[in-house]
Amino acid sequence: MAKCAFLGLGVMGYPMAGHLVKAGHEVTVYNRTAAKAEAWAAQHGGRTAATPRDAAEGVDFVMACVGNDDDLREIASGEEGALAGMADGAVFVDHTTVSALVTRELAEAAAGRGVAWIDAPVSGGQAGAENGQLVVMCGGPQDAYDRAEPVIAAYAKACRRLGDTGAGQLTKMVNQICIAGLVQGLSEGLHFAEKAGLDGRAVVEVIAGGAAGSWQMQNRHGTMLDDEFEHGFAVDWMRKDLGICLATADEVGASLPVTALVDQFYKDVQKMGGGRWDTSSLIQRLRSAG
Amino acid sequence: MAKCAFLGLGVMGYPMAGHLVKAGHEVTVYNRTAAKAEAWAAQHGGRTAATPRDAAEGVDFVMACVGNDDDLREIASGEEGALAGMADGAVFVDHTTVSALVTRELAEAAAGRGVAWIDAPVSGGQAGAENGQLVVMCGGPQDAYDRAEPVIAAYAKACRRLGDTGAGQLTKMVNQICIAGLVQGLSEGLHFAEKAGLDGRAVVEVIAGGAAGSWQMQNRHGTMLDDEFEHGFAVDWMRKDLGICLATADEVGASLPVTALVDQFYKDVQKMGGGRWDTSSLIQRLRSAG
Amino acid sequence: MAKCAFLGLGVMGYPMAGHLVKAGHEVTVYNRTAAKAEAWAAQHGGRTAATPRDAAEGVDFVMACVGNDDDLREIASGEEGALAGMADGAVFVDHTTVSALVTRELAEAAAGRGVAWIDAPVSGGQAGAENGQLVVMCGGPQDAYDRAEPVIAAYAKACRRLGDTGAGQLTKMVNQICIAGLVQGLSEGLHFAEKAGLDGRAVVEVIAGGAAGSWQMQNRHGTMLDDEFEHGFAVDWMRKDLGICLATADEVGASLPVTALVDQFYKDVQKMGGGRWDTSSLIQRLRSAG
Amino acid sequence: MAKCAFLGLGVMGYPMAGHLVKAGHEVTVYNRTAAKAEAWAAQHGGRTAATPRDAAEGVDFVMACVGNDDDLREIASGEEGALAGMADGAVFVDHTTVSALVTRELAEAAAGRGVAWIDAPVSGGQAGAENGQLVVMCGGPQDAYDRAEPVIAAYAKACRRLGDTGAGQLTKMVNQICIAGLVQGLSEGLHFAEKAGLDGRAVVEVIAGGAAGSWQMQNRHGTMLDDEFEHGFAVDWMRKDLGICLATADEVGASLPVTALVDQFYKDVQKMGGGRWDTSSLIQRLRSAG
Ligand SMILES: NC(=O)C1=CN([C@@H]2O[C@H](COP(=O)(O)OP(=O)(O)OC[C@H]3O[C@@H](n4cnc5c(N)ncnc54)[C@H](OP(=O)(O)O)[C@@H]3O)[C@@H](O)[C@H]2O)C=CC1
Ligand SMILES: NC(=O)C1=CN([C@@H]2O[C@H](COP(=O)(O)OP(=O)(O)OC[C@H]3O[C@@H](n4cnc5c(N)ncnc54)[C@H](OP(=O)(O)O)[C@@H]3O)[C@@H](O)[C@H]2O)C=CC1
Ligand SMILES: NC(=O)C1=CN([C@@H]2O[C@H](COP(=O)(O)OP(=O)(O)OC[C@H]3O[C@@H](n4cnc5c(N)ncnc54)[C@H](OP(=O)(O)O)[C@@H]3O)[C@@H](O)[C@H]2O)C=CC1
């Protein structure tokens, strides 16, 4: 069993850290808002720390799941950051969805202290975190990955190393790029169905098994048709992720015309008040014109 | 068992008509290019007719699977068209993907002769036609549909009536609209993966089960990564279908921004020589800039 | 001075026909709604005819300015159409914005009767028609053009032959394609200015003379900033024209991604109730999300 | 006459600094690559300085025209930056096109030292800089602007204050946003003309005076039709500017769908090797498919 620190007890991190305890690991948590850390410790029986650095001292693995690039820099670097407390040979496993840029930057800083960095963004959403059924996409040194994998297994249904530092984040970007076009296509399809007077659920029953089928069609058509978006993966997060995708696409030289367009459409959704709605809310802006 | 005529023995119609024979129906075929009809009759043992009208005389059901609106008008109307030969009470089952407009026009003409019209476009592609595993989306009068369904069953894994005349075609349009955005999203995702130096197959293995997953990702990523497009559903057909979708979207008042954009991107593929390539060839135009 | 018939006394045709009289030509008018023809004759002193054919009999030139392809077919062909009445050697000058397809079709029909067809769509709008300051873009045989030009001059500030049959319509399409992207760009620019808290009029004063400058910026920014769209060239007409552009672009093999996208955006404007608004109303859909 | 420092002697800055001398001002220049500063001094007779700070000491105005946000931070802040050398009451006039963010950040730092910051991006290109005919869009305190304007006049045909700090940069962004859609529209129009077999120059002669007309059409159609792009405002610069526009649009809540799309199209041009081509090279990617 391993000694772990978990930094960031949000929607995702809170249950993930809980699964580590259930799997028998010794867990110290840190959260910016201390009350959440207290609540977590009360529920799961682990320890809390006052700073990322305190949490990181003496552990084998530091897991993090905070918000964005800046948040990650804040908890990882600096005097009170986790890296300052980590022992030589320890591994930092970052579950935040961030840029490949900050990943390379922090991985290098970590290496300078003898710490291995595994970028390990996840998919599966809140439900996946709660059920311990996340998909974890990793990048980083093979040996550190091999040591981390059995620990990550506590909350993963699948965990895979896709390459060196950054490969996990890049894989997550592929995921988000695919979703952008797909959800817009699905929204246009269902919007057309509504306008044409079809029964959207019946249509989906017929076509979902074929070439137009997708996870989104299967799992989101009902709520889309019912105007229910208070669930799932928030538009604000999606825009953060697409911002990362578009910036990285410039670095690697990939043109993403529809991704860039749909990113603007998601801004429309934000302006309609839908920043916290599920990504499937793209259909709402099609409906808004009448 | 029923007496059937089958008009149009192309990639789809040839095997579909064959399944009717195997199911025990009595089948007369007509094809513009007579040689194909002869070959079919030699293989399946049915009869051939010189005109759609001849084929249609005395049968219970006329099935058609030709190319587009004009083709359908040609074989259905006019002096040598099928409607001219059909008996009162017979049913015309149209498997061609055409507009809701021509469907309403011909359904009305049919009704004037006591013939019921079922619009019944299919999905499942060449493989589905050959294995008798098509999905059939129908519109038209309930009673005529009820009579036709057991016959259509010869080549269908699923058959469903979605509403009145045109509902089948409209459902097929939803299908194609969803595919356009989805395939462009997938193309951008895989193109990004390539440019970022990732192993595209490994990436798909990790993400295909999640929120980015789709039939297209599962069934097309390998050939997309391998630059293989000599298979599947042709770009030329897709553009015909998207043209129908966009025209109908104007009628019903649905805005389809990404569908319209991707339709132009498919034109790029045609200009690159890819008119007969599979729809997944959208990735080629992203690659073409370098 | 020439004998002329003018068919279609709408926003454009009414004043155009008036200019012919002022220039000394002998003019017979036809309009579907006879009352408008009566009013015109009362005002300008020309004659009215009951059918296009009647109007066309014995004249040197038939001018037409009706709505779309179907309207043009209706007044030009058939038993009561103008071509049936025109004398050998007469010229049909079509000022309607229509497809190159219908133009070729009718030009051929005209040629069969010894009539020359000049396609001659215009720009300059209602004001241009009223002031006799239209720009006229022509296609057709040189000799017929040479005869028509001095007559067209009655309402033109510029008239030019761009090539054979259809070249006028194709030139008008270039015009509309350029406008679509330009007006969307202008709308995004002014919308950004508003959101950024800038004084839009001051911004335009500074930039209108430079690389971002355009007729639309100069002539439309004020009404755009003031939410005034009850003037100018209607969105419904623009969508008719863009439909022609997109169909023709398929024929000639030109990809028009932004034109296709903006056409969908104009549909949003129609759905917002703006079918009769000026084309500059694209900015309204940007504002509608908030 | 004023004492000025000019930082950044590139395509724009070199001739701008020259005009200051011609107008009678006393000018010290600084350039990262010292050789250019030497050449300038040899030509114009001003002084050179080894660091931005040295150049800035004792002057009334510091003008800067460097590359991007990072470049500006480098010459303005830090120990050897210009702000460190500027006297209380001096004015920093920034002609670089940068973000509103860096502008606010540096304006605040300047204010802390008693220095006024005027953001003053320009349009008019290399020719405008050389002829002293730039358009200058300014933001910042009124009194500082009033002092700077007569000096800026040395190279401006128009100079205007649009509001407080950042208003100049925001105005420049409006300019670039308008250009993106406009040039894509123009490219689609000319590409269509080519494919339709029209004489592009003749078409432009006819339509340039009307509703489709623009500076770009007037000044760029010839080179666009001739495949000449080795001039003008480079695609690489445009992408930097559009990146600023898109980031700022997120801040202010403006959706820019076509700007975002065209930005990706410009990436295609970069990938085709056109990073240094004029912005009108968008037409090349339409041509590249065939
Ligand atoms: N939600 C989802 O469905 C999915 C999310 N993700 C990604 O996972 C990450 C986390 O998402 P989620 O859990 O939903 O987010 P939440 O906002 O619920 O949680 C974020 C956590 O990070 C902490 N945090 C943020 N910034 C800082 C900082 N500067 N210093 C210290 N702590 C900080 C927050 O602390 P505090 O409590 O004080 O606010 C909070 O505990 C994101 O990158 C997201 O994109 C990935 C897949 C799915
Ligand atoms: N291929 C696919 O994967 C799928 C196709 N479809 C749709 O099914 C329809 C048929 O496709 P497919 O079989 O691939 O097409 P093919 O081109 O292979 O076959 C078309 C058939 O129609 C006949 N035909 C066409 N025009 C006429 C006409 N004017 N008069 C008489 N006969 C005519 C052709 O005759 P001839 O032999 O003389 O050319 C041919 O037999 C299309 O609408 C397509 O969109 C739907 C789902 C999947
Ligand atoms: N308005 C503008 O600013 C510009 C318009 N155009 C183009 O000019 C054309 C005319 O525009 P505009 O004058 O504004 O249109 P209007 O709708 O004002 O006028 C159309 C005229 O055509 C007649 N008409 C329409 N259909 C038929 C038919 N089937 N049979 C007989 N007559 C018919 C109408 O008759 P009735 O009176 O009975 O309705 C009416 O007189 C259009 O193609 C438009 O795109 C070009 C440039 C600018």
Side-chain angles (χ1 to χ4, degrees), chain B residues 8-13 30-33 36 65-67 71 74-75 95-97 122-123 125-126 172 232-233 237 240-241:
Chain B
L9 299 174
V11 168
M12 301 298 287
Y30 160 79
N31 195 60
R32 183 173 51 185
T33 308
K36 268 200 242 170
C65 194
V66 293
D71 299 333
E74 222 170 294
I75 58 152
H95 293 303
T96 318
T97 303
V122 302
S123 74
Q126 181 170 357
K172 174 79 185 187
F233 186 68
W237 277 145
K240 176 200 60 141
D241 290 1

Side-chain angles (χ1 to χ4, degrees), chain C residues 160 188 205 213 215-216 258-259, chain D residues 160 188 205 213 215 258-259:
Chain C
R160 179 150 178 185
E188 296 189 6
E205 273 174 39
W215 185 98
Q216 298 282 343
V258 162
T259 306
Chain D
R160 178 148 179 187
E188 296 189 7
E205 273 174 39
W215 185 98
V258 161
T259 307

Side-chain angles (χ1 to χ4, degrees), chain C residues 69 73 77 83 99-111 165:
Chain C
D69 282 27
R73 270 196 199 92
S77 353
L83 292 176
S99 69
L101 198 80
V102 77
T103 298
R104 282 192 300 267
E105 173 193 318
L106 292 174
E108 210 167 306
T165 300

Side-chain angles (χ1 to χ4, degrees), chain D residues 181-207:
Chain D
L182 191 165
V183 173
Q184 176 67 19
L186 177 58
S187 297
E188 296 189 7
L190 292 181
H191 179 57
F192 177 93
E194 291 177 336
K195 285 290 190 174
L198 295 169
D199 172 347
R201 279 185 169 75
V203 167
V204 167
E205 273 174 39
V206 176
I207 69 176

Side-chain angles (χ1 to χ4, degrees), chain A residues 135 137 160 162 167 170-171 173-175 177-179 181-182 184-186 188-193 195-196 198 202-203 205-207 209-217 245 248-249 252-259 261-262 265 285-286 290, chain B residues 135 137 160 162 167 170-171 173-175 177-179 181-182 184-186 188-193 195-196 198 202-203 205-207 209-217 245 248-249 252-259 261-262 265 285-286 290:
Chain A
V135 171
M137 303 154 246
R160 178 149 178 185
L162 281 306
L170 292 167
T171 299
M173 292 177 210
V174 175
N175 193 72
I177 293 166
C178 289
I179 288 175
L182 191 166
Q184 177 64 20
L186 177 58
E188 296 189 6
L190 292 181
H191 180 57
F192 177 93
K195 285 290 190 176
L198 294 170
V203 168
E205 273 173 39
V206 176
I207 69 177
S214 62
W215 185 98
Q216 298 282 342
M217 182 183 278
C245 295
T248 309
V252 303
S255 299
L256 305 181
V258 162
T259 306
L261 186 61
V262 172
F265 289 169
R285 58 174 293 290
L286 292 172
Chain B
V135 172
M137 303 155 247
R160 178 150 179 185
L162 281 306
L170 291 167
T171 299
M173 292 177 210
V174 176
N175 194 72
I177 292 167
C178 290
I179 288 174
L182 191 166
Q184 176 65 20
L186 177 59
E188 296 189 7
L190 291 181
H191 180 56
F192 177 93
K195 284 290 191 174
L198 294 170
V203 168
E205 272 173 40
V206 175
I207 69 177
S214 63
W215 185 97
Q216 297 283 343
M217 182 183 279
C245 294
T248 309
V252 303
S255 300
L256 305 181
V258 162
T259 306
L261 186 61
V262 172
F265 289 169
R285 58 174 293 290
L286 291 172

